[in-house]
Amino acid sequence: MNASETEQQFWLLCETVDAADTVESRVPDLEPLLLKVLQLAKTEQENRDTLVKCFVQLVDGSREMSRWIVLFCMRELKWPEIQLAANDRFERAGGARAPRLMNWISDINWVYDDTLWEHADFFWYFWSQEHPGEPWPCQPAA
């Protein structure tokens, strides 16, 4: 894909995730959709700059979509530009004086940490990596 096609595909996938992320939805049900976004980012490395631009739009406030997109993808990708853009937004908003962004920035910074991710329990993909052999807490009932 060229850069324009990659960007178009990225936003299409993100819109699908965002539409599925409702107050009634279960977070684990978003995983297949989030995996598609992650897979695009991993396979389109020749368009990484374009994808960085897209992810930055998700954290700088210029595009509002499901927060799970950034959290899920950056847990694996850990692109420093995205963390930097998120922390820049937080600082511009007043840092500690921006309480509405405190949980958001904490969640973003946590996915970059090498410790166990508190939200890994929502996603089999990460749970199985971070807690190998342990039963998944969100396993659907049989």
Side-chain angles (χ1 to χ4, degrees), residues 85-104:
N87 281 290
D88 284 348
R89 177 184 180 192
F90 181 65
E91 290 305 316
R92 283 193 315 276
R97 292 181 309 282
R100 295 184 71 191
L101 289 177
M102 289 183 94
N103 285 341
W104 173 81

Side-chain angles (χ1 to χ4, degrees), residues 13-24:
L13 292 171
C14 288
E15 287 166 6
T16 303
V17 172
D18 193 58
D21 188 8
T22 66
V23 292
E24 295 88 13

Side-chain angles (χ1 to χ4, degrees), residues 83 93 103 108 116 118 120:
Q83 185 180 29
N103 285 341
I108 288 176
L116 297 176
E118 73 173 334

